[in-house]
Amino acid sequence: MRGLIDAVRRGSLFTLLALASLLTACDVKNISELEEGVSTEADVRERFGAPEAVWEGEDGAQIYEYNRQPAGHVNYMITIGPDGRMAALRQVLTERNFARVLPGMAMEDVRRMLGKPMKITTYALKRETHYDWRYLDGAGADSSKVFTVVFDPDLRVIRTMSARDPDLDRNR
């Protein structure tokens, strides 16, 4: 019985990795077909679909959030300028962006910066809420990590941390 359970768990890891690879392959193709300053909002929506969220940007721009969590390791923010053209396409789950998450920062500001997390966990006794994002810290699925932002009851950042993705050790 234990062998069957282990096989199912390994199958889950395989399925998760296959899904993540498929998403990555589609994203690479879609991104290659878009050009900053040329592609339109319609081009972006044709390749990526409806955004997870739309954020107001500077000078009348809109920022479209395309979330690849929990299976993937990226989140994209695509800026559509006031002229209706794509001004920028960024993968936001990076060490550079993580370093910009500072104590006291509001949850909504973090959410706008990194996109929807893969998991939200509330610890009532500790009076903390943890937001987790999965990302790659190198090449390959074995470099998967989880970036965590810890919020206080007022949804202000207390601290951040990164750790090896626990799913790697669970054989999922």
Side-chain angles (χ1 to χ4, degrees):
M1 181 62 136
R2 183 179 171 107
L4 178 60
I5 291 170
D6 289 342
V8 169
R9 285 187 179 146
R10 280 190 298 277
S12 296
L13 176 61
F14 177 76
T15 302
L16 182 65
L17 291 174
L19 179 59
S21 294
L22 182 61
L23 278 174
T24 301
C26 290
D27 285 343
V28 168
K29 180 182 182 310
N30 289 335
I31 290 168
S32 73
E33 294 174 350
L34 297 172
E35 186 177 344
E36 290 181 4
V38 176
S39 298
T40 65
E41 174 187 4
D43 296 331
V44 169
R45 286 180 177 267
E46 180 180 321
R47 282 157 185 83
F48 281 86
E52 173 83 24
V54 178
W55 305 95
E56 293 300 318
E58 295 179 14
D59 302 324
Q62 290 189 319
I63 302 168
Y64 288 9
E65 176 186 326
Y66 289 95
N67 186 296
R68 298 300 186 246
Q69 303 284 301
H73 293 87
V74 297
N75 280 347
Y76 298 105
M77 297 291 182
I78 300 178
T79 304
I80 305 296
D83 63 354
R85 299 203 179 278
M86 184 181 81
L89 188 154
R90 300 177 290 126
Q91 194 293 102
V92 296
L93 299 181
T94 65
E95 293 285 345
R96 184 176 179 181
N97 276 342
F98 299 156
R100 295 176 47 214
V101 178
L102 302 172
M105 185 179 275
M107 180 275 302
E108 184 170 322
D109 294 336
V110 175
R111 175 77 170 67
R112 283 180 64 131
M113 184 187 310
L114 301 178
K116 183 178 176 183
M118 74 162 176
K119 182 171 78 169
I120 299 172
T121 309
T122 301
Y123 296 95
L125 295 177
K126 292 174 92 175
R127 301 186 60 201
E128 294 179 349
T129 301
H130 293 202
Y131 279 30
D132 295 330
W133 290 266
R134 180 174 281 124
Y135 71 102
L136 292 177
D137 185 31
D142 64 337
S143 68
S144 182
K145 286 186 150 184
V146 175
F147 177 70
T148 301
V149 179
V150 180
F151 296 97
D152 66 16
D154 295 325
L155 296 178
R156 296 277 176 184
V157 175
I158 300 171
R159 66 186 175 280
T160 65
M161 63 190 105
S162 285
R164 178 179 161 85
D165 187 342
D167 282 354
L168 293 174
D169 299 324
R170 290 187 195 121
N171 291 325
R172 287 207 252 159

